[in-house]
Amino acid sequence: MNLHALRIFVEVASRGSVTEAAIALSISQPAVSAQIRKLENELGMNLLVPDGRGISLTYEGRFLFEKARRIYDWEREIETQLTEMKQGKKGKLRIASTFLPSHYLVPQWLAQYKRHYAGVDVEIRTRNSQQSMELLLSCEVDVAVVIKESWDVLPIKRLHLMDVPYWFILPTHHPLAGKEISMEQLVEEPFLLREQGSSTRDWLFALCREHGVKRPQVGMQYHGLVESIHSVRAGYGTMLAPALAVREMVERGEVGRVTVPEVEIKRPLYVCTRDDETEQRPVVAQFLELLKRERSS
């Protein structure tokens, strides 16, 4: 079916006039009539009949008009939604994040983002550093937000957002709570460790190597940050935790803190995107701009 002729037919049928359709389409009346005849010849049926100074639809014409009108309504809807996608007002933003930013930073970023772009669907996956990078490189997410020091050679772009302080915490009634102790004393405590692939776990082991002490004994292993902190608050274990997550608990006396001389831990937080994407999708570009503003504020 000739779609150009079909479009002209819909315009004529909706206006009930060849003349008005010609004006609306900015083409001559004879050209409109020629296209209608061409469509009728192609279909082998009459679609329009004269009706006074205007036209009327035949039964077949009414059937075709109702069906074809849906096609062009759908076309306009597609064009509108594509325009909104181009403007970043619609689309899908997929984020992978390690546990700390996922629980304590990403929600406030997305609340601000959604206030401006309510029509964007957002999907968040909370994973460890290794898993987050795998999701990014396999194109299952658009952005990865990770805390990580050491990097293999990967086809990614990294934007440094901030440095996150980390503290050693233990139960509030522990004899060492509030004290300054050595690394040798610290690693004698039962530690709550994250799963293999966690950058916090790797960083703790690197710190032990740097100070020439053995790795801490594993009291329990968790696959999440919040669960580990709750275990300490419940009265068991020592862990390396982000100050952002435990500061208020320390101030309220729900967990204790120990310090180690000359050990001040600040870990870099990055937002990562794929290196081979020279131009980001609008929903991604707008999210990155928001993070850049947060960094500079």
Side-chain angles (χ1 to χ4, degrees):
M1 185 182 299
N2 187 305
L3 293 180
H4 176 61
L6 182 63
R7 184 187 296 274
I8 292 174
F9 165 73
V10 169
E11 195 69 36
V12 171
S14 63
R15 296 177 182 278
S17 167
V18 171
T19 302
E20 291 183 16
I23 294 170
L25 294 169
S26 299
I27 59 178
S28 68
Q29 185 173 330
V32 171
S33 299
Q35 288 296 324
I36 297 298
R37 287 194 300 272
K38 182 177 181 180
L39 182 61
E40 289 178 327
N41 291 335
E42 180 183 354
L43 298 175
M45 60 183 65
N46 292 329
L47 302 173
L48 305 174
V49 292
D51 185 5
R53 295 186 176 182
I55 52 94
S56 293
L57 298 172
T58 64
Y59 175 83
E60 294 78 9
R62 286 194 299 273
F63 171 84
L64 181 61
F65 174 56
E66 289 301 321
K67 300 296 183 183
R69 184 169 57 180
R70 295 179 194 173
I71 295 173
Y72 294 112
D73 287 345
W74 190 30
E75 179 188 40
R76 283 190 291 272
E77 180 183 343
I78 291 172
E79 289 174 347
T80 298
Q81 292 196 19
L82 287 174
T83 298
E84 290 177 338
M85 288 180 185
K86 189 175 180 180
Q87 296 170 344
K89 296 178 180 179
K90 272 191 175 295
K92 188 167 188 176
L93 175 63
R94 303 167 303 167
I95 301 170
S97 173
T98 52
F99 290 84
L100 169 69
S102 180
H103 289 128
Y104 299 98
L105 295 171
V106 174
Q108 65 189 49
W109 295 339
L110 290 179
Q112 184 177 346
Y113 179 81
K114 287 287 283 185
R115 282 197 293 270
H116 293 91
Y117 307 106
V120 177
D121 295 327
V122 179
E123 176 186 292
I124 310 168
R125 303 190 199 185
T126 303
R127 301 289 191 272
N128 64 34
S129 300
Q130 178 181 327
Q131 294 164 340
S132 295
M133 298 312 300
E134 288 172 355
L135 288 172
L136 178 65
L137 292 173
S138 63
C139 299
E140 295 180 61
V141 298
D142 307 300
V143 174
V145 183
V146 299
I147 293 178
K148 189 173 173 65
E149 285 84 8
S150 59
W151 296 86
D152 298 326
V153 178
L154 297 172
I156 62 168
K157 296 176 184 175
R158 301 197 305 267
L159 172 66
H160 177 253
L161 293 180
M162 65 182 72
D163 290 319
V164 180
Y166 271 65
W167 294 348
F168 289 107
I169 62 168
L170 38 61
T172 187
H173 299 300
H174 194 287
L176 296 176
K179 295 184 178 180
E180 184 177 87
I181 63 174
S182 67
M183 281 294 297
E184 288 83 358
Q185 287 177 279
L186 182 66
V187 296
E188 292 299 325
E189 297 298 316
F191 260 72
L192 303 179
L193 293 182
R194 291 281 307 283
E195 75 284 358
Q196 194 76 27
S198 162
S199 65
T200 302
R201 176 192 180 110
D202 295 341
W203 201 94
L204 177 61
F205 290 168
L207 186 65
C208 291
R209 288 194 301 271
E210 180 184 336
H211 286 263
V213 300
K214 65 182 182 180
R215 290 182 176 183
Q217 57 178 308
V218 181
M220 283 191 282
Q221 179 174 295
Y222 281 94
H223 284 257
L225 171 67
V226 174
E227 300 92 325
S228 305
I229 295 171
H230 284 324
S231 181
V232 176
R233 187 166 63 175
Y236 179 80
T238 300
M239 69 176 289
L240 180 61
L244 188 64
V246 299
R247 186 184 304 276
E248 292 183 0
M249 292 184 186
V250 171
E251 291 172 352
R252 292 194 298 263
E254 296 174 7
V255 297
R257 180 188 175 193
V258 296
T259 57
V260 178
E262 299 180 1
V263 174
E264 183 181 7
I265 304 170
K266 288 187 177 181
R267 305 192 57 210
L269 185 147
Y270 295 93
V271 58
C272 304
T273 54
R274 287 180 292 276
D275 198 25
D276 57 357
E277 294 180 346
T278 55
E279 186 174 342
Q280 295 289 352
R281 291 168 46 237
V283 293
V284 178
Q286 287 163 172
F287 182 65
L288 295 177
E289 281 301 313
L290 182 149
L291 296 186
K292 289 175 183 177
R293 290 195 297 271
E294 287 289 313
R295 181 182 64 168
S296 61
S297 62

